[in-house]
Amino acid sequence: TLDRILRAADSASRQLVERVRVAYLGPPYSYSYLAATTRFGEGVELVAAGTIAAVFQEVAEGNVDYGLVPLENSTDGRVVDTLDMFARVPAQICDEVQLPVHHNLLGRCERSEIREVYSKPQALSQCREWLATHLPTARTVEMTSTAAAAQLAADRDGTAAVASREAAITYGLDIIAENIEDRTNNITRFAVIGDHAPQRTGKDKTSLMFEIAHRPGSLADTMAVFKNAKINLTWIESFPVPEDRTGYLFFVELEGHQNDARVKKAIAALSRRTLRLEILGSYPRASRPV
């Protein structure tokens, strides 16, 4: 609570000096909105974007100072749309936010009357066991965001939404069932993108994206760079190169700052083994929420 108060005070004071604009996957009271207010407070100007691609575009065109996009979930893993945009649009990660996500079943009817459940694909996936057990005959319908699902559920009979408690309050919905996520420790990690390099803290991580030759042993040879430099990797994901049937991009997060001697040496060695290498940014490691 104190952290949120301090962030709000900092946000308000910065707005007195400069107008800070932050794009997020909207509409208001989506989980991306909640992550944005957690990181920046409510004193900044929040700009709702219809898609993750639109958030990247707002940043690339200089319309906003920062963008906030979901990166991975502790239940479902990577967010494909975000990785795809890193592959397509130049972007720098300057911070991360970890948000505990508690899903609720929202509506204006009894549970027995629900015929359809609306939400974002990731939210439906994170509640699939609960939905299968408690609403086995209800049809699930994918939406662009949890908040958009809540808006729709407010206008249609026999429908419900999987969304946040804040969305229930905003759109005048009842909480039919709370905390319906299949895993209680359900956390989504968000990346803050923008042309702002944070100061080195000594407790940083660095994100890289690279492409390697499509031949036997090339990945093992590449990963040996980090082993030889005694650098710990905290995340690795592979992703198909856009418009290429055989190539893959690898997203890697490692402990340390890109200006640390060991990390600089490893990146230099990595550049000699890759077809494409991009440093997506160095930023403070977020503590895992409890």
Side-chain angles (χ1 to χ4, degrees), residues 75-143:
T75 301
D76 279 347
R78 66 183 185 180
V79 178
V80 174
D81 290 349
T82 298
L83 297 189
D84 181 56
M85 290 308 300
F86 275 119
R88 296 177 184 274
V89 177
Q92 288 285 299
I93 301 175
C94 52
D95 203 357
E96 66 175 359
V97 181
Q98 297 202 55
L99 181 75
V101 174
H102 297 293
H103 295 301
N104 302 277
L105 186 69
L106 314 179
R108 288 179 172 170
C109 60
E110 298 296 326
R111 186 190 299 180
S112 59
E113 300 173 352
I114 297 173
R115 300 186 302 273
E116 294 179 324
V117 179
Y118 293 83
S119 197
K120 191 177 178 181
Q122 291 85 351
L124 293 173
S125 177
Q126 291 159 27
C127 304
R128 57 182 174 268
E129 293 180 13
W130 191 96
L131 292 171
T133 301
H134 297 90
L135 294 171
T137 62
R139 184 171 72 99
T140 57
V141 182
E142 295 182 355
M143 300 285 292

Side-chain angles (χ1 to χ4, degrees), residues 22-28 30 32-33 46-59 64 66-69 120 144-145 148:
V22 181
Y24 69 97
L25 179 61
S30 64
S32 291
Y33 173 92
L46 296 176
V47 179
T51 63
I52 289 174
V55 175
F56 274 83
Q57 204 61 40
E58 289 284 345
V59 175
V64 296
Y66 300 96
L68 185 137
V69 290
K120 191 177 178 181
T144 55
S145 76

Side-chain angles (χ1 to χ4, degrees), residues 200-214:
R200 188 175 171 188
T201 67
K203 295 182 179 180
D204 304 294
K205 63 166 56 173
T206 298
S207 294
L208 306 173
M209 179 178 68
F210 58 84
E211 181 182 358
I212 57 178
H214 191 60

Side-chain angles (χ1 to χ4, degrees), residues 202-263:
K203 295 182 179 180
D204 304 294
K205 63 166 56 173
T206 298
S207 294
L208 306 173
M209 179 178 68
F210 58 84
E211 181 182 358
I212 57 178
H214 191 60
R215 62 171 181 263
S218 59
L219 179 58
D221 293 340
T222 303
M223 291 294 102
V225 167
F226 302 109
K227 178 182 178 181
N228 295 337
K230 297 182 179 180
I231 292 175
N232 188 40
L233 301 181
T234 58
W235 194 51
I236 179 170
E237 287 285 351
S238 62
F239 190 79
V241 176
E243 302 174 0
D244 187 332
R245 294 184 178 181
T246 59
Y248 277 83
L249 288 170
F250 292 87
F251 294 83
V252 169
E253 288 181 351
L254 55 89
E255 292 181 344
H257 194 280
Q258 59 185 299
N259 292 329
D260 294 346
R262 281 194 303 173
V263 176

